[in-house]
Amino acid sequence: MGLIQTPTALGHHARFAALFESTAGTYNPPTSTDFVKLLTMDLAHTLSHEARDDANEGLDPYETIAGRGDLSWTVEKYFSAAAAGTAPPEGVLLRALLCGTPVVDSGVSVTYPLLNADPAAAYRALTLQRYNNADDVFFSRAFTGAMVNEGKFSWSGTDKPKMSFSGKATGIIEAGYTTTSGSGTNATVDLASGTGRRFDAGARINVGADTNQTVATQAANSVTLGGSITFASAEVVAPYCPTPSYTAAPILGLTTGSLTYNGTAQADVTSWEINVSRNLAFHEDTYGSTYAVDADRGMRVISGKFSIRASRSMLNDLIRRRQFAEVALAIRVGSSSGRNHLITLGQILPQIEKDTLPATGAGTLEVPFIALASTEGAVDAMTWVVS
């Protein structure tokens, strides 16, 4: 932050929370156990305004027309794991992507399955909230009705295993920073002139020592809370942020793990990537709405690729692509109990596009693939087990 003048928002000094909404699209305020450590968090809010272009007496636009908005988001984090049989910190995001109900084997594992139907009503959308800054929260942005559309999981020989999730949301609630103007005991709190619009209805804020107050309505110079409080003049008004209680979750490093292809562990894999897309069709053209209001299920696509040095057995798969032969792929991130993600794709179709066989040195193969279900209607294209 600015050390001498106005504090600045620091991306590396933020907090992030993710939790399901019991009613999709309705804000679910985070509690201390809903926080997740991230590498990056991008909750992007855009609103379009177009200049009037009808004929006028001057040469410059003088008015704009409000258009639609967009609430797109992306978060990225390291692979991590909790104690065996306990959901990892990314468990909420994994469930929102894969849609199935996690199966818990106490003290052993948590399995995240796919689902072909709509998830249960209480597991269809998320509240995602970012707080800046961690030691002096002066801004918060919450996306409501957030749906996970895509997930990407990757590793390379020179980087740590990472995962990212992205999608869109249907609503936004923001809270800023100001001070009170005057004192009193009331539900309506007078604020510094013109600063009431910094607090959206539904936001949770602190007014001095009165914490976790709900904004019912806003006005130019005040906010009305859900209940009466006693406040003094010049008290700080800022977003409420619970004290995070993070799940103990070691980061899974780049030197532990394995990739098994067609039943054989491969020793010379240099990178891999898995992409899961729900192909949601967002309703972004609904009359009377600013943002997307819903989404329809699309055809799920699970694809990816891995790079490997060209051994004799892998070169044989150059022939396999012409025979449309399916093989199994299993990727393990981590190795020991409580530090283990096992991603199994029971039927992948390799689609080797090119081989690189240089005049000297080792040849390499990049093996793109798509994952298939074993039969029509099956949900076994991918299984994810944390143990």
Side-chain angles (χ1 to χ4, degrees), residues 1 25 62 67 80 87 95 131 197 208 210 262 274 281 314 327 342:
M1 65 173 61
Y62 64 95
S80 60
R95 178 171 186 174
Y131 303 85
R197 302 301 187 195
D210 292 289
N262 198 24
I274 297 175
M314 288 305 299
V327 297
L342 177 61

Side-chain angles (χ1 to χ4, degrees), residues 231 270 329:
F231 55 93
T270 58
L329 178 70

Side-chain angles (χ1 to χ4, degrees), residues 117-167:
D118 287 330
Y123 297 96
R124 295 182 182 177
L126 301 164
T127 288
L128 306 177
Q129 188 150 2
R130 185 188 70 204
Y131 303 85
N132 297 92
N133 282 338
D135 61 347
D136 177 24
V137 176
F138 56 79
F139 175 74
S140 76
R141 171 176 290 172
F143 276 6
T144 60
M147 291 165 275
V148 180
N149 189 35
E150 296 182 342
K152 178 181 178 180
F153 312 92
S154 61
W155 167 87
S156 73
T158 57
D159 202 359
K160 278 76 69 180
K162 296 175 183 176
M163 59 177 66
S164 65
F165 302 87
S166 61

Side-chain angles (χ1 to χ4, degrees), residues 8 25 40 174 191 204 244 268 293 341 347:
T8 52
T40 60
E174 293 179 317
L191 305 177
R204 299 308 197 264
D268 277 335
V293 297
H341 287 245
Q347 303 82 212

